Amino acid sequence: MTDPTDTRDTGPRVGTPLWAFLAGITVIGFTALVVAMLRLDAVLLVEMARTPLFWVLAVLVILGELRPVMVSSATAVGGTYPSTMFTFAVLLHLGLPVAVLMQAVAVTMNGIVTRRSWHRVMFNIAQSTLALTAAAVVLGTFGIVPSPAMPWMPTGAHLLPIALAGIAYFATRATLVSGAVALHERRSIMRVMKVTAGPQSLVYAGLLGLAPLVVVVMNHSPGLVPLFVAPLAAVYFTATLSMRRDHQAMHDELTGLPNRKMLIVSTEEALAEARQEERVGLFLLDLDRFKEVNDTMGHPVGDRLLQMVAHRLTHSVRPGDVVARLGGDEFAVLLPSIRDAHAAREVAARLRAALTEPVRLEGMTFDMDGSVGIALYPDHAPDFELLLQRADVAMYLAKEGRTGVELYQPDKDRNSPERLNLLGDLRRAIDNRELRLHYQPKVSLGTGTVQGVEALLRWRHPVRGPIAPSEFVPLAEQSYLMRQLTAYVLEAALEQAALWWHTGLRVQISINISARDLLGSALPEQLEVGLARYGLPPTAIQLEVTERILTGDQAYTQDTIKALATLGVPLALDDFGTGYSSLIRLQRLAVSEVKIDASFVRRIAESEDDARIVRSIVDLVRSLGLRSVAEGVESDEVAMRLAEMGCDVGQGWLFGRPLPAAEATIWLRDHSESGDEVEFGYQPEVSRSA
Ligand code: C2E
Ligand code: MG
Ligand code: MG
């Protein structure tokens, strides 16, 4: 939440409701100020100015006005000034005119020091004057009307009027500030109050509650009053600290934008507040080819670029809209109220236009672009999770079709309610680390040595029992979850690889990744960081991508594949034979291994056609200088025929089923030739010549 009065030099546009509100409050507040001043006896004031008490208080009020005790709730940040304690004390002891005068002087002085805009200073004077006036009126109804001539001394019998005056003071300030915020962000004032009032009231209770004690001490010995600075400082620092912590938990460090957590809170708020005739829009925005910049220019430049993007995005939306960073080069924009799909598209186009303005960095010009997916409430989804999911489907369409902006279209979404349920369960399973990796050996058909293992996901659903990866992986592939799933698998596999490699079992682990993982730029970086962290060489793992990536638009995937090749991580082409890849594409792709799909392999003993297909694939793969791996080898006969054909490696139940890590370790030790120090792994020449 931004401070609506903090519009610096410009201020709200003349004629807007916010302007009218601020102007109205300022006029009313200054009228109250003038009325109070008329009641001030100048002679008495001059007399008072000769007492040390007056100056002690004046200094404390001014100092207390310097910095607000920031209070933050999930979405709102509001300031409460420590001076409140002293102005309230002055109000109780010396009456309204002196209190508002001191307050006005303090606000003005600090406005000058901190170079706030004049209309902000005036609004602050007005609202604190009104709050003090409200408190004075409450005291007046109890017959308490202090003045410099007749200072008032509170006693234990006056707790009720003091409490009510404090409440009137707080209620006035909270209403005025929340009103401005509500108008600024086009939200209902009740909602704004709900999120701000709780934490604010605590700080106010602390500040106002001490005021009567200040008066008592003041009366006893003015010199002791500065001691109140100590508890005040304590309140100040704890509040600031907790606010900073809250802020960190809810914001992205690099860009300062709200993070996913905060986006969830804001979206849920927006959904609860949504008016009938309007929509809530959730955009997902992904930068295109950010990776290139990051790679060629280095991370510091990449970071600056992201900060720039964040800046541009936040300045392309209206106040009250939320721009969040979800991670990497992925951003989300929440529009709490938008008329219709057409208007949403317009905003999306504006965001893209802001992005495509060339960026100058380090003397170079970058042309940025991004793809935006739009989902609307209530048209497309009833809650945050689904909205994000659908914005993601749309974003994916925009990226694939290179259209830039896409609105969610149900007929292009293959997610049924059951699938979405499962997707939700999968997300929880990832969060709760319920997924396990099993490992299946790959064995040289010539020598019988182990060539590596393939990591395969296993999920035991708490209700439905085991669910096959062929059921949930394609589901995840169509959603933003894939990124998390792959990150999870990567982490688990690297951890296992480290366990094996650092105990002498140098076995290469193949990890399955999806074509979608190659669209983003996160994978190579994750791998690089992970390998370094576990002290592993790049050949400790291999990535398997299905042949289908060859059929899609390769412009995007090519970047990531290049980055992986640079890293030295070998790549295998999985399920070969099921797609329609051309030879040229196969050669262009930096793969070192081709895995022939089990659907052909299984039948080579019975069907001559399948045998011919497999043989020609094996020949083709060898002529390209690559290694061939047959999947789904279940019988000796199949293994023998494959060996005859010159296929390098076999994988299948004949050699070993996918095993949990502990059992796989035992299996690997049993099948290593000379105990601990055997090197498994990548040795295509050996197996080929054998
Ligand atoms: P894939 O990568 O082609 O994996 C080989 C599949 O064949 C595995 O199925 C494996 O259990 C199965 N298999 C191995 N030997 C035999 C055999 O002799 N006979 C038969 N009938 N099947 C055999 P699984 O584990 O059900 O995985 C299915 C697919 O799910 C995988 O196909 C892969 O595309 C995907 N997948 C599995 N784990 C992951 C993962 O961690 N990430 C991603 N992105 N995809 C995964
Ligand atoms: Mg595979
Ligand atoms: Mg396969």
Side-chain angles (χ1 to χ4, degrees), residues 440 454 456-458 469 489 512 574-575 631 634 652-653 658:
Q440 185 180 34
E454 176 172 8
L456 294 160
L457 262 176
R458 294 294 176 259
V489 170
N512 292 286
D574 207 349
D575 307 336
E631 300 190 276
E634 295 181 6
W653 297 346

Side-chain angles (χ1 to χ4, degrees), residues 451 592 625-627 648-649 681-690:
Q451 298 292 304
S592 53
L626 311 176
R627 179 164 77 156
D648 301 311
V649 179
Y682 195 41
Q683 6 171 278
E685 293 79 12
V686 177
S687 53
R688 208 171 274 146
S689 59

Side-chain angles (χ1 to χ4, degrees), residues 454 512 544 546 574-576 595-598 631:
E454 176 172 8
N512 292 286
E544 296 191 5
T546 82
D574 207 349
D575 307 336
F576 193 81
K595 301 188 74 175
I596 308 165
D597 196 70
E631 300 190 276

Side-chain angles (χ1 to χ4, degrees), residues 449-502:
T449 53
V450 179
Q451 298 292 304
V453 294
E454 176 172 8
L456 294 160
L457 262 176
R458 294 294 176 259
W459 179 20
R460 182 174 284 280
H461 190 281
V463 179
R464 298 180 43 182
I467 300 181
S470 52
E471 196 173 332
F472 67 84
V473 171
L475 199 65
E477 255 166 10
Q478 289 174 44
S479 84
Y480 62 97
L481 258 192
M482 197 61 221
R483 186 178 299 203
Q484 266 166 281
L485 189 67
T486 299
Y488 180 91
V489 170
L490 217 65
E491 181 57 30
L494 282 169
E495 199 182 323
Q496 188 58 52
L499 270 174
W500 281 337
W501 280 66
H502 299 318

